Amino acid sequence: MSGSKQLESIYYISLPEDFQLSKNAMHIDKTIPLPAQKKDADSSDSFNMAELTQEQILSGILTVLAYDKKNEHLDYYRNLIKEARPNLKQELTAAAILKTKNQDFDIAEEIWLALRGFDPDDVAIILNTALFFDQRADSYRQSGLNEDADAYDADAEEYYKMAMEADPPPADAFFNAGFFYLKRHDFFNARGAFESYLALTCDAKDEELGENGLYKKERAQEIINEIQNGNMDDERFRNAYKLIQGGQEEKGLEELRVFLSRNPDVWNAWFMLGWGLRRLGRYSDGEAAFKKALECGGGNTADVYNELAICRMEAGNLDLAKSDLLKGLELSPENTKIISNLGYLSLKQGDPASAQKYFASVLEFDPDDKIAAMELERLERE
């Protein structure tokens, strides 16, 4: 829902001098108009002051904090809500994380927006917002909604940068941003983020870091070493990804071939080569590239098996494709891209009953997967 639409859901009211919400009501400056959330049955001519609740006011304030950034009374509204609900930030954060986990993305986004309005200087909220957009993008990409995924990735990058530019910046902002750049094959920025994470934690004692912190340091260094040893922050490698992603596959493949002539053992490069070839419909060549990616160390990555299976499916090698998809599913049991492809494979094998089960399984993990819903509806009609 747009911000203007959300703001239409509140009243601005002026309270009478003798008005009290309850015996322990929050202190209200009656000279400042107060936002109150409409009830479902409210209309502009049916508002009853006697029925106004504190929850309506709190909800109205959160709506203003989220969607009306130029409101002249924002500081007053923030103080008011902090007085009324001292633990509200923790409550809303827990609710937003739960909604994100359950993929109730629209509601989660509204809560994060309200939290940023409630405390715009809290870096933890900014970082959590970046993580939210990052996860939403991953979910959309798994559902085949690539344009939406790209848009949310752009939002995630904006908030990661805000968190990394904070003073002082939280170390975890760089650690999480490193993985964000890693999934986008932006190894130059991934390496920089992980190096910054290590720099920020280098003086921390082991007991301060704890087991999780020590694991993060070790993982960050492993990734830096892999990028350095494979020369993956090379300019040609970066250009290749941007070109292929932007629809200029042939130019991207040219860059990759030059890179691979100098770095023949980098599995990520073979994977990207296969990806570009598959996008061009060159399935046999793509299959060869993905097999090379497995030989060079990509065997622990579900996406390699998924892409290899697509090439084999298109070439008619259905048994091998199924074997690849099942290997990928072992590595990533909730990967809806792989489960959907098992559905399409079942259709090619003349087994619509199994296809229905796979598409239904996708919707259990991601109820908003439009492609799986469409295929399931079509199969049920037939």
Side-chain angles (χ1 to χ4, degrees):
M1 187 182 294
S2 68
S4 59
K5 194 70 174 178
Q6 286 283 26
L7 291 171
E8 289 175 7
S9 71
I10 62 172
Y11 294 105
Y12 273 100
I13 57 176
S14 295
L15 299 178
E17 287 297 325
D18 59 347
F19 184 85
Q20 285 290 335
L21 282 169
S22 67
K23 182 178 179 182
N24 298 315
M26 51 189 170
H27 172 73
I28 294 174
D29 184 343
K30 296 184 175 67
T31 66
I32 298 176
L34 201 61
Q37 189 71 43
K38 296 178 183 178
K39 296 178 182 177
D40 291 340
D42 281 350
S43 64
S44 58
D45 56 357
S46 66
F47 177 71
N48 186 345
M49 183 70 73
E51 297 177 356
L52 180 66
T53 66
Q54 188 174 105
E55 289 303 316
Q56 280 180 272
I57 292 177
L58 295 177
S59 182
I61 290 175
L62 286 174
T63 300
V64 171
L65 293 178
Y67 295 103
D68 189 5
K69 303 299 185 185
K70 295 183 179 180
N71 191 294
E72 62 180 315
H73 301 302
L74 290 179
D75 286 339
Y76 166 69
Y77 293 145
R78 290 186 186 109
N79 291 331
L80 196 62
I81 207 167
K82 287 175 183 177
E83 178 186 336
R85 294 279 286 275
N87 297 320
L88 184 63
K89 185 160 65 170
Q90 293 88 333
E91 294 170 16
L92 288 176
T93 299
I97 292 171
L98 180 61
K99 292 296 182 184
T100 302
K101 182 179 180 180
N102 293 335
Q103 297 197 351
D104 295 331
F105 291 128
D106 289 340
I107 296 175
E109 185 169 351
E110 288 189 9
I111 298 173
W112 288 122
L113 190 58
L115 276 163
R116 294 197 303 277
F118 179 64
D119 193 347
D121 297 323
D122 189 330
V123 182
I125 293 174
I126 294 171
L127 178 55
N128 276 324
T129 301
L131 290 166
F132 161 73
F133 283 126
D134 197 348
Q135 292 173 50
R136 188 168 192 175
D138 288 347
S139 176
Y140 278 39
R141 188 161 283 109
Q142 284 192 0
S143 301
L145 303 172
N146 292 322
E147 289 186 5
D148 290 332
D150 289 343
Y152 284 114
D153 267 343
D155 290 333
E157 184 172 19
E158 177 185 349
Y159 281 95
Y160 277 130
K161 286 180 177 179
M162 289 171 60
M164 290 187 288
E165 291 169 1
D167 186 18
D172 278 350
F174 293 93
F175 186 78
N176 289 305
F179 281 102
F180 170 77
Y181 287 119
L182 204 61
K183 77 170 183 178
R184 300 181 72 188
H185 301 275
D186 184 349
F187 297 107
F188 178 80
N189 279 317
R191 175 182 169 181
F194 286 122
E195 287 176 340
S196 294
Y197 173 77
L198 292 179
L200 287 169
T201 56
C202 66
D203 293 330
K205 297 179 180 178
D206 288 356
E207 54 268 28
E208 293 175 331
L209 291 169
E211 185 176 344
N212 187 47
L214 290 172
Y215 163 77
K216 287 180 177 180
K217 287 186 69 173
E218 181 179 339
R219 186 73 182 110
Q221 188 62 62
E222 285 177 356
I223 295 170
I224 291 170
N225 292 343
E226 184 178 353
I227 292 171
Q228 288 177 324
N229 294 338
N231 200 24
M232 289 185 292
D233 52 357
D234 178 89
E235 186 176 357
R236 286 192 182 277
F237 196 97
R238 300 202 307 272
N239 287 343
Y241 177 74
K242 291 177 183 177
L243 288 166
I244 295 173
Q245 187 184 45
Q248 299 183 66
E249 288 87 357
E250 292 290 0
K251 290 184 178 179
L253 294 178
E254 290 175 12
E255 293 284 286
L256 276 174
R257 290 190 180 96
V258 175
F259 176 84
L260 282 166
S261 69
R262 302 169 182 168
N263 306 274
D265 298 324
V266 179
W267 76 262
N268 309 74
W270 287 108
F271 174 81
M272 197 184 301
L273 183 71
W275 175 51
L277 291 165
R278 193 266 295 166
R279 284 167 61 111
L280 290 172
R282 295 169 56 182
Y283 301 114
S284 295
D285 292 337
E287 178 181 349
F290 289 125
K291 287 167 68 175
K292 190 68 175 176
L294 291 175
E295 292 173 12
C296 293
N300 293 322
T301 307
D303 282 344
V304 179
Y305 288 106
N306 183 58
E307 290 285 346
L308 177 58
I310 293 172
C311 290
R312 284 175 164 168
M313 243 196 298
E314 294 296 337
N317 299 323
L318 302 186
D319 290 340
L320 286 174
K322 185 170 185 178
S323 176
D324 294 327
L325 289 171
L326 292 176
K327 287 176 183 176
L329 199 61
E330 286 181 14
L331 293 168
S332 181
E334 297 182 8
N335 191 315
T336 54
K337 286 190 297 186
I338 295 176
I339 300 171
S340 280
N341 283 332
L342 282 165
Y344 286 115
L345 178 65
S346 296
L347 291 176
K348 285 181 177 288
Q349 291 176 322
D351 187 358
S354 292
Q356 277 186 291
K357 292 178 182 178
Y358 283 123
F359 290 127
S361 180
V362 170
L363 293 175
E364 289 179 11
F365 289 116
D366 183 4
D368 295 325
D369 192 308
K370 296 178 183 178
I371 296 174
M374 179 183 67
E375 291 294 343
L376 191 60
E377 183 181 353
R378 182 179 63 80
L379 287 167
E380 289 172 348
R381 285 200 310 268
E382 296 175 354

